Amino acid sequence: MGYKVHYIKHIAGMLNLEGMDTKDVAEMICCPPDSSMGDFALPCFKLAKTMHKSPAAIAEEIASNFKCDHVVKGVAAVNGYVNFTIDREWLAHQVLNMVVSYGSCFGASDEGYGRTICIDYSSVNIAKPFHIGHLSSTVIGGALYRIYDFLGYKVVGINHLGDYGTQFGKLICAYKHWGVKEEVEKGGIHAVNDLYVRFNSEATEEMEAEAREYFRLIESGDKEANELFDWFKSMTLEYVDRIYARLHVRFDSYNGERFYSDKMQPVIDRLEEKGLLKESDGAKIVDLEEYGMSPCLILRSDGASLYATRDLAAALYRKNTYDFEKCLYVVAYQQNLHFQQIFKVLELMGYDWAKDMVHVAFGMVSMEDGSMSTRQGRVVWLEDVIDKCVEKAYDVINEKNPNLISKKWTAEQVGVGAVIFGALYNARIKDITFSYDKVLSFEGETSVYVQYTCARANSVLEKGDAHELYEKFAKKVKKTGKPVWLNPGDFPWVTADSLEPSEYELIKLLGDFSDVVKEAAEKYEPSCVARYAVELSQKFNKFYIDCKILSAPEKTTRMFRLTLTWSVHRVLKNAMYLLGIEVPDEM
Ligand code: ARG
């Protein structure tokens, strides 16, 4: 629980308002944006009705009856508000104590203990390019995976592979006509994609018919067709796994569409049983007109299943296998209708858990120069974007810090981080235009800025010989796996006699971290964490300019500021970890 909730509850408990319980009072208390008037405030306007007095008079009365304690130091009535000033040094003590003792677990919780979340993300298509359009699904899903894990949930990451469909018949046909084994082996996924693109532009009627036959052969278990299919599949997976490793995402299941091709009967049976299946031009559909949607196609007239049918089977399978509390689908908003239909059909089938299915939609990513089209093979491969970012990062690092020992590795951390952060920083529903200069800027709202801030903090910590001091506690945490509560005197450096405004701003923000993580999970918005990291960096840099750290005149001040620096560094690392971004020590 973040400090704000804690403090609000505390203040609410100290107030005794007629006819209102503590919970109602807590809901009224807010945090004024400008803390010069107070840290928390109770607006009295709503109370005027029931108490038959003016808000100003009520505020006066509440303030004069209020008794301060070790948490709340001051109270004042101002224009119908009761303003509370907290003991900021006490807050600093509490927050820093938590960060130092929890370390890499600070912000984590066990609220998800015994609860399972399935996340369907990335879900690439076999033998098709892994292009820039897959970036968002991959990194948003990857971040949500870490965020839920951090909150104690059991998370199941699912790559719902697009490995079923007539396009594989086309691919085999193209390979049979034009493919050369050695060339495809050498060219890998790019060569496979070229074959597919060539088929789409050059295939004759005859070849189209052949392709349909090849698809039928895959389905009926023909050895050669299946061997070719498996070859294309393993080539694709090898390729995407390399990218996943660089983006730090992982999956617990690669059960794709094909996996469900023999698990559709229960879906059909249930639909029949509920009287939901209707004939339409020989096909079987679920009519959704009543709900303002076009019909959901279940079986084609030739009896073949569809994307939706396989998604229904997958939903049932996931519920039975994982007993999820929620099942998330991190898929572009272009598929809004598809998921609305699926969720509706599940509801009509009588599954009350249909309400636990969530489409985590996101906007389009396009390149600055407009190159994006997937048709005609004009695609931007994600790997090329990552490579280019890493290259550019290398040039910048080489220029800024030519003597850095691990330039290549640092460039990888910076370049990959820039790609991830670029896709995570905005609210996910927004369309984004990817610009190399923007994501790699040292000044903007970027991962580079956050990483650079961390490197700056780290250098202060090294000069102040502070790491060892704090690692002692971090080690204790590692050993026990549990946070270590500090005894008074164990660690005196969490105490300050008085706080500078920029120190206080940092403390408050550190205290918000766990709420931010929770909010990110509740809204399925990793951007909350990304924005937090930028804000914390900005506030740290302000503190760095305003306050002397190593050259502070008093030892206690120096040590307090080192602790603050250590805490910011720690929390920035925790936040970046949740996004899947590494933080170099130096850059
Ligand atoms: N493979 C699909 C595509 O690239 C995304 C699949 C999303 N997941 C799902 N269960 N439908 O469009």
Side-chain angles (χ1 to χ4, degrees):
M1 185 163 61
Y3 88 96
K4 268 184 202 149
V5 185
H6 194 78
Y7 272 67
I8 287 175
K9 279 191 179 169
H10 182 91
I11 296 170
M14 292 167 78
L15 290 166
N16 198 358
L17 301 187
E18 228 184 83
M20 286 178 84
D21 60 20
T22 321
K23 216 178 139 248
D24 298 334
V25 182
E27 265 164 27
M28 289 172 65
I29 298 176
C30 56
C31 306
D34 173 11
S35 50
S36 64
M37 301 271 275
D39 304 292
F40 293 93
L42 177 77
C44 299
F45 308 97
K46 271 199 203 149
L47 300 172
K49 255 197 192 146
T50 49
M51 293 172 81
H52 308 293
K53 270 184 226 164
S54 74
I58 298 170
E60 290 289 350
E61 194 182 313
I62 295 175
S64 63
N65 288 332
F66 190 85
K67 290 200 178 51
C68 293
D69 68 354
H70 66 293
V71 170
V72 186
K73 238 167 64 170
V75 63
V78 181
N79 301 333
Y81 285 90
V82 187
N83 290 340
F84 304 94
T85 314
I86 61 167
D87 184 336
R88 297 177 177 184
E89 289 70 33
W90 173 248
L91 175 69
H93 182 93
Q94 299 269 80
V95 170
L96 294 188
N97 202 343
M98 293 264 275
V99 184
V100 174
S101 59
Y102 279 75
S104 58
C105 303
F106 179 77
S109 90
D110 56 6
E111 66 164 65
Y113 183 76
R115 300 157 76 180
T116 302
I117 303 277
C118 288
I119 311 183
D120 178 323
Y121 69 109
S122 199
S123 300
V124 286
N125 300 317
I126 296 303
K128 283 212 195 143
F130 192 175
H131 61 82
I132 183 86
H134 297 114
L135 173 64
S136 302
S137 176
T138 308
V139 300
I140 292 171
L144 289 175
Y145 190 112
R146 286 158 179 267
I147 289 169
Y148 277 101
D149 180 64
F150 202 57
L151 293 175
Y153 289 85
K154 174 173 182 229
V155 192
V156 186
I158 304 170
N159 201 326
H160 187 77
L161 298 175
D163 55 2
Y164 186 97
T166 47
Q167 71 267 31
F168 298 104
K170 294 181 185 175
L171 188 58
I172 292 179
C173 179
Y175 177 73
K176 286 291 219 175
H177 279 263
W178 307 308
V180 180
K181 189 161 185 265
E182 293 71 32
E183 271 173 27
V184 174
E185 258 165 7
K186 212 169 125 232
I189 179 122
H190 290 83
V192 174
N193 182 240
D194 289 345
L195 283 173
Y196 185 66
V197 171
R198 183 162 171 197
F199 185 96
N200 282 337
S201 64
E202 292 178 29
T204 57
E205 288 282 319
E206 257 164 53
M207 284 177 77
E208 293 281 358
E210 245 177 74
R212 280 193 291 277
E213 176 57 13
Y214 276 120
F215 175 61
R216 202 193 58 75
L217 283 174
I218 306 179
E219 287 309 285
S220 62
D222 175 76
K223 190 162 170 275
E224 193 203 2
N226 273 285
E227 271 171 10
L228 281 173
F229 174 79
D230 288 343
W231 182 40
F232 297 138
K233 179 166 170 170
S234 63
M235 224 166 355
T236 310
L237 287 184
E238 219 172 89
Y239 175 79
V240 295
D241 277 345
R242 229 170 43 222
I243 298 178
Y244 291 147
R246 292 179 81 183
L247 295 174
H248 311 116
V249 299
R250 53 166 299 209
F251 299 91
D252 303 289
S253 161
Y254 281 88
N255 286 340
E257 295 190 41
R258 169 160 231 95
F259 178 78
Y260 300 104
S261 59
D262 62 354
K263 295 176 181 60
M264 249 119 36
Q265 203 50 47
V267 175
I268 313 289
D269 292 347
R270 178 85 170 206
L271 286 169
E272 296 270 20
E273 192 188 305
K274 293 268 169 183
L276 291 165
L277 271 191
K278 278 197 187 147
E279 287 260 345
S280 167
D281 296 329
K284 297 253 165 108
I285 62 158
V286 176
D287 187 0
L288 296 173
E289 202 186 337
E290 213 183 303
Y291 310 99
M293 286 180 242
S294 48
C296 183
L297 241 63
I298 304 293
L299 291 174
R300 281 207 315 239
S301 51
D302 62 2
S305 68
L306 288 117
Y307 182 49
T309 330
R310 295 186 287 276
D311 252 332
L312 290 170
L316 261 60
Y317 177 86
R318 289 174 193 174
K319 186 65 194 174
N320 289 334
T321 310
Y322 307 113
D323 193 22
F324 56 74
E325 181 176 301
K326 266 185 193 162
C327 181
L328 315 184
Y329 295 84
V330 187
V331 185
Y333 64 58
Q334 277 92 340
Q335 295 194 30
N336 274 356
L337 175 62
H338 168 74
F339 287 105
Q340 279 164 12
Q341 289 176 321
I342 298 297
F343 300 167
K344 192 46 142 186
V345 172
L346 287 170
E347 184 193 317
L348 295 173
M349 287 166 93
Y351 297 117
D352 60 352
W353 46 267
K355 64 178 187 338
D356 307 325
M357 318 293 277
V358 185
H359 178 202
V360 179
F362 57 81
M364 296 243 293
V365 183
S366 51
M367 298 302 284
E368 205 172 19
D369 64 1
S371 58
M372 178 50 209
S373 157
T374 29
R375 268 161 275 139
Q376 272 73 49
R378 259 191 72 224
V379 298
V380 182
W381 294 75
L382 180 55
E383 192 177 38
D384 294 341
V385 174
I386 298 175
D387 284 345
K388 195 160 167 189
C389 251
V390 171
E391 243 170 67
K392 283 181 179 260
Y394 185 88
D395 293 342
V396 177
I397 291 164
N398 201 22
E399 196 190 302
K400 290 208 177 219
N401 192 354
N403 299 323
L404 187 70
I405 299 169
S406 49
K407 271 188 285 195
K408 272 237 159 85
W409 181 234
T410 309
E412 173 77 12
Q413 295 176 316
V414 172
V416 170
V419 176
I420 299 176
F421 205 87
L424 291 182
Y425 188 71
N426 288 302
R428 61 183 153 72
I429 204 65
K430 285 195 183 155
D431 289 337
I432 46 182
T433 308
F434 190 91
S435 144
Y436 290 103
D437 292 337
K438 225 170 93 191
V439 299
L440 280 168
S441 154
F442 271 70
E443 257 102 74
E445 289 151 347
T446 60
S447 56
V448 189
Y449 175 67
V450 177
Q451 286 168 324
Y452 188 69
T453 305
C454 281
R456 169 180 270 182
N458 187 54
S459 125
V460 174
L461 292 168
E462 272 175 11
K463 284 189 198 127
D465 281 328
H467 276 303
E468 211 180 312
L469 196 64
Y470 303 93
E471 283 316 317
K472 205 173 95 193
F473 293 95
K475 260 194 210 121
K476 270 200 204 171
V477 176
K478 260 189 215 132
K479 226 184 257 162
T480 57
K482 283 199 201 108
V484 181
W485 280 101
L486 302 177
N487 296 314
D490 261 2
F491 201 80
W493 315 122
V494 292
T495 312
D497 296 332
S498 72
L499 291 178
E500 293 297 326
S502 52
E503 290 176 315
Y504 177 54
E505 290 302 316
L506 266 182
I507 297 282
K508 279 198 297 181
L509 204 53
L510 288 172
D512 281 339
F513 183 55
S514 60
D515 284 342
V516 171
V517 178
K518 262 181 80 164
E519 187 190 349
E522 268 158 26
K523 296 184 175 162
Y524 319 110
E525 269 295 0
S527 63
C528 296
V529 177
R531 285 174 182 269
Y532 175 86
V534 166
E535 197 186 340
L536 188 59
S537 302
Q538 288 165 343
K539 296 214 159 136
F540 175 76
N541 288 319
K542 180 160 186 342
F543 156 76
Y544 185 83
I545 294 167
D546 290 352
C547 302
K548 290 192 175 97
I549 305 173
L550 294 172
S551 53
E554 305 273 336
K555 182 177 182 198
T556 47
T557 312
R558 175 168 176 260
M559 290 312 284
F560 174 79
R561 288 181 181 164
L562 269 177
T563 308
L564 186 52
T565 303
W566 188 89
S567 301
V568 170
H569 185 242
R570 183 64 262 169
V571 174
L572 283 177
K573 275 180 112 168
N574 290 7
M576 295 295 260
Y577 162 82
L578 292 178
L579 306 177
I581 300 175
E582 290 183 349
V583 176
D585 286 338
E586 199 187 332
M587 60 187 271

